[in-house]
Amino acid sequence: MRRRPNTTFLLTFTTFLILFAIFSLNLSRNALSHFRYSDSVSNFDTRHNNNNNDDDDNLFLNEYSHPKRRVSSIHFKDSISTVSILLPDWEILLIVSPNTPLRDGYNYRCIFRNGAFSPARFSGVLPLMNATAFKCDLPESVRRRRIFSQPALVTEASENEMDDPSPAPELLRWNFLVYETFSTEDDVVLFAKGVNHRQGYDRSPSELRCVFTIGDGNAVRTAVTSSVQEVFRCSHPDHALLFPESEKIGISLEIIAENLVVPSVVSYMPRPKPDSVIKAQARPKYFLCACTMVYNVGKFLREWVMYHSKVGVENFILYDNNSDDNLETVVNELHKEGYNITTLLWIWPKTQEAGFSHSILHSKSNGMCSWIMYVDVDEYVFSPSWMESSYKIQNESFSLKSMLPYRQMSNVEPIGQVSIQCNEFGPSGQRKNPVEGVTQGYTCRRRVEQRHKSIVLVDAVDPGLRNVIHHFEVNEKEGYRSKQLSMEKGVVNHYKYQAWDEFKNKFRRRVSAYVVDWRQNVNPKSKDRTPGLGFQPIEPKDWVHKFCEVRDQRLKSLTQAWFNIYLTHNETRMAWQKS
């Protein structure tokens, strides 16, 4: 006779299974809700996610309320061909295929596989690709999924017209991606995340190859000649192997030992034509340019441009990190007033070093600048000697060019870079942005100088293009060296700690530079942190009087003499102020 199962045992076992299932489900959701790039399941080897700086791979959970609708597919009759990248802060960048017609006056949306959607915001046109870019937020309901699929970009008018029910491709991840390319006469330059480590480890060029893909997947490979930070140089492919020319040619990097090709959103641009090369080899159009990466600096740009133009900067190169203020309007106004400004949309987060490397290539290929000064829009360069009466008598104009060697001495190593030390200014009692300008409103600073900024001879930059924010590695094989100016010869006024409302915006978004994110409780002694501020944008006690150790009104006096406009006997304004 068969024994009947023990009822108590079955009940206990069943209860255990239920509790285990609940615990596993909760653990899985909890892990996904604290998603980090390195924890994600993706189509490429997750070992490469460990090659990234923590500043770059953290995603911060922003709560959004996204409607959902029931759909059987995300493929719609009028959906737009795109490739999508998951950026930090749960933001998605959608790059529309080049030459895709877009409808004016329509609202666009990102629609996801589960039916959730979010508004798509126009972000600009990527200059090299000539491709339109949109951004949208990843809905909360999608973040809980184990695999993130690319959304469909549709207009509100077409979103109910269903077509192909095939699954969507997975989202590309920002921390492992080839995101820009630049072709010179001699080679091809790629910009890629996740191949080299931020903290000094660069793969040997021999570990990598450039891969050029044609049509249905045929590939041509060439040697990588330089691997530095996010910049990789390789040989052009044999032109005969790229037939037919009319086809789109993809380009990426291959990690040889692992037979792994890095995901890429760029296409190969053939080497420049001979006539453009000849133009670039001629003497540069400008002796001194200024280059910076900007985000929402429209209210500060006029003062910065007008001042530095006065002291010798002939052209301004702005890498726009996807501003959404009135920057374009201000730039257009300055153009009409005769200022030379070049704006390039550089949409990629935390890539200031790579952007500055790109600026060297951009200047060389267009024959633009002999020297480039790398300073931010809250930084002003001047010489204290300009305050002396003897200088005013002996010099007809005040110029930064006096800090640079016009002619290199034949019996000494040529100067390829001039470094200038910085003074950091505090809020100086200001509770809001001074309408007359930062040079007038902020006049109290810290006693000890902090860091330095540089003016670089373009032809002296090392071919690897390595730079640590505002400072390049010069080509020592060609004999170039760097020189640091004394603070009597040149100094940078860095208006770093401004009125709280302005500084809070800076705290919120530290995306252009490759530095510690201020919201993370890590590396508290970093020079990129504000002493005493902590990790939240909460105004410290007595902020308006902080960092005030030395009263310094030298630049205020100079700019008043140069730019003060007398309206009546008791009313004036600065030239950059709106009338």
Side-chain angles (χ1 to χ4, degrees):
M1 181 176 178
R2 298 176 59 186
R3 297 179 60 184
R4 298 179 63 183
N6 188 300
T7 305
T8 302
F9 171 79
L10 289 177
L11 181 61
T12 302
F13 182 75
T14 303
T15 303
F16 172 81
L17 287 179
I18 293 172
L19 290 173
F20 179 79
I22 294 173
F23 173 79
S24 299
L25 179 60
N26 182 68
L27 183 63
S28 174
R29 288 186 175 179
N30 184 60
L32 286 174
S33 68
H34 292 83
F35 171 79
R36 292 168 60 90
Y37 278 126
S38 55
D39 298 330
S40 64
V41 179
S42 64
N43 290 331
F44 54 81
D45 194 328
T46 55
R47 284 172 293 176
H48 300 287
N49 294 338
N50 296 325
N51 288 341
N52 300 289
N53 186 281
D54 285 341
D55 302 339
D56 188 46
D57 63 13
N58 284 336
L59 291 178
F60 301 95
L61 301 181
N62 295 323
E63 297 298 328
Y64 299 98
S65 176
H66 291 281
K68 285 186 60 176
R69 63 178 59 199
R70 292 186 175 275
V71 292
S72 61
S73 168
I74 64 164
H75 294 263
F76 298 91
K77 182 178 180 180
D78 294 326
S79 64
I80 298 162
S81 176
T82 63
V83 60
S84 302
I85 307 162
L86 181 59
L87 302 177
D89 289 336
W90 298 110
E91 194 172 43
I92 297 175
L93 174 67
L94 299 94
I95 302 174
V96 179
S97 298
N99 304 316
T100 299
L102 296 173
R103 302 176 181 180
D104 292 334
Y106 278 79
N107 293 323
Y108 290 88
R109 285 182 174 180
C110 294
I111 299 187
F112 298 82
R113 287 179 60 82
N114 68 340
F117 64 86
S118 61
R121 308 177 297 275
F122 172 74
S123 293
V125 178
L126 302 178
L128 183 63
M129 305 180 197
N130 192 30
T132 302
F134 290 87
K135 283 185 177 180
C136 64
D137 301 317
L138 189 72
E140 183 70 29
S141 61
V142 181
R143 299 177 201 174
R144 294 193 294 268
R145 293 174 174 264
R146 194 169 288 274
I147 295 178
F148 299 151
S149 298
Q150 296 195 24
L153 180 66
V154 299
T155 64
E156 290 182 349
S158 65
E159 62 186 44
N160 289 315
E161 300 178 29
M162 300 179 197
D163 191 16
D164 178 20
S166 60
E170 188 175 348
L171 270 174
L172 299 177
R173 303 301 170 87
W174 169 238
N175 65 330
F176 194 61
L177 184 74
V178 175
Y179 59 90
E180 282 280 354
T181 183
F182 195 104
S183 289
T184 74
E185 179 190 10
D186 301 318
D187 61 9
V188 186
V189 185
L190 293 181
F191 296 83
K193 282 276 187 185
V195 179
N196 285 336
H197 196 287
R198 173 65 182 87
Q199 301 299 330
Y201 169 71
D202 294 331
R203 290 181 185 270
S204 168
S206 62
E207 298 179 42
L208 307 167
R209 286 185 297 204
C210 276
V211 181
F212 303 82
T213 55
I214 312 161
D216 58 358
N218 295 325
V220 176
R221 289 170 169 80
T222 67
V224 172
T225 58
S226 176
S227 166
V228 176
Q229 294 173 321
E230 295 181 10
V231 184
F232 305 84
R233 308 190 80 140
C234 58
S235 307
H236 282 287
D238 186 339
H239 182 75
L241 299 177
L242 297 180
F243 182 85
E245 289 184 33
S246 59
E247 288 193 20
K248 176 183 176 182
I249 302 170
I251 182 172
S252 189
L253 285 168
E254 179 182 28
I255 302 173
I256 298 173
E258 299 167 39
N259 193 27
L260 178 67
V261 177
V262 182
S264 174
V265 294
V266 299
S267 300
Y268 171 62
M269 304 293 291
R271 71 177 75 220
K273 295 181 179 179
D275 56 344
S276 62
V277 172
I278 293 172
K279 177 181 177 182
Q281 288 176 342
R283 177 174 297 198
K285 184 176 180 180
Y286 307 109
F287 179 79
L288 178 60
C289 300
C291 178
T292 190
M293 191 164 287
V294 299
Y295 172 74
N296 286 0
V297 297
K299 68 170 71 173
F300 305 107
L301 190 64
R302 286 186 61 84
E303 181 181 8
W304 186 78
V305 167
M306 293 177 73
Y307 168 79
H308 284 102
S309 180
K310 169 74 175 178
V311 297
V313 175
E314 302 162 77
N315 184 64
F316 299 86
I317 306 170
L318 308 181
Y319 278 72
D320 181 9
N321 202 212
N322 203 204
S323 299
D324 54 14
D325 65 346
N326 65 334
L327 179 68
E328 184 179 1
T329 300
V330 176
V331 169
N332 290 337
E333 290 173 351
L334 289 166
H335 276 154
K336 293 177 182 178
E337 295 172 27
Y339 297 97
N340 299 311
I341 303 175
T342 302
T343 304
L344 293 90
L345 178 62
W346 188 264
I347 207 166
W348 317 112
K350 283 194 179 292
T351 52
Q352 189 171 46
E353 290 166 343
F356 286 173
S357 296
H358 184 278
S359 72
I360 296 293
L361 301 170
H362 176 73
S363 177
K364 278 189 171 183
S365 67
N366 291 283
M368 292 179 66
C369 314
S370 293
W371 292 81
I372 301 180
M373 179 173 69
Y374 290 91
V375 294
D376 295 329
V377 174
D378 61 356
E379 295 169 334
Y380 289 71
V381 188
F382 81 104
S383 173
S385 65
W386 297 346
M387 305 296 297
E388 300 171 6
S389 58
S390 60
Y391 186 96
K392 298 175 186 178
I393 294 172
Q394 296 172 10
N395 297 271
E396 294 182 1
S397 63
F398 302 84
S399 179
L400 298 174
K401 297 174 185 178
S402 64
M403 304 178 188
L404 306 174
Y406 270 88
R407 297 181 181 85
Q408 303 280 11
M409 302 296 291
S410 59
N411 60 339
V412 296
E413 291 178 315
I415 303 300
Q417 182 168 235
V418 174
S419 297
I420 311 170
Q421 292 173 287
C422 302
N423 281 326
E424 291 183 348
F425 282 71
S428 307
Q430 301 288 341
R431 298 187 180 277
K432 60 182 180 180
N433 182 50
V435 294
E436 68 274 19
V438 297
T439 58
Q440 305 302 297
Y442 301 111
T443 57
C444 200
R445 61 174 174 82
R446 302 174 80 180
R447 187 178 304 279
V448 179
E449 67 276 2
Q450 298 285 331
R451 294 188 169 181
H452 64 271
K453 299 300 168 76
S454 298
I455 308 177
V456 183
L457 180 65
V458 172
D459 287 339
V461 173
D462 188 84
L465 303 176
R466 182 190 302 277
N467 68 93
V468 178
I469 305 300
H470 308 100
H471 181 87
F472 273 88
E473 187 174 286
V474 297
N475 192 344
E476 295 181 352
K477 293 181 179 179
E478 296 293 330
Y480 287 104
R481 65 184 179 91
S482 296
K483 173 186 177 182
Q484 182 165 297
L485 291 183
S486 68
M487 296 196 75
E488 291 72 34
K489 181 70 173 178
V491 67
V492 177
N493 274 15
H494 185 185
Y495 299 104
K496 182 175 183 178
Y497 308 113
Q498 299 186 14
W500 176 251
D501 285 345
E502 297 298 337
F503 186 82
K504 184 170 62 174
N505 292 331
K506 188 177 183 180
F507 182 99
R508 183 185 63 83
R509 180 181 166 103
R510 295 284 286 180
V511 299
S512 63
Y514 214 145
V515 299
V516 171
D517 193 297
W518 293 356
R519 297 170 293 184
Q520 294 182 8
N521 189 0
V522 293
N523 199 7
K525 295 183 179 180
S526 169
K527 288 187 178 181
D528 294 302
R529 290 202 175 277
T530 302
L533 182 58
F535 310 102
Q536 296 181 0
I538 300 173
E539 182 175 357
K541 183 179 179 181
D542 201 29
W543 172 264
V544 293
H545 299 301
K546 281 187 175 294
F547 316 114
C548 182
E549 298 169 350
V550 177
R551 288 286 175 186
D552 186 344
Q553 300 196 34
R554 292 174 296 178
L555 191 54
K556 176 179 180 178
S557 298
L558 278 174
T559 51
Q560 277 186 342
W562 295 344
F563 297 104
N564 203 16
I565 298 174
Y566 290 89
L567 303 177
T568 65
H569 70 282
N570 60 355
E571 184 181 4
T572 65
R573 67 174 176 87
M574 303 301 287
W576 44 75
Q577 287 182 255
K578 295 272 184 162
S579 56

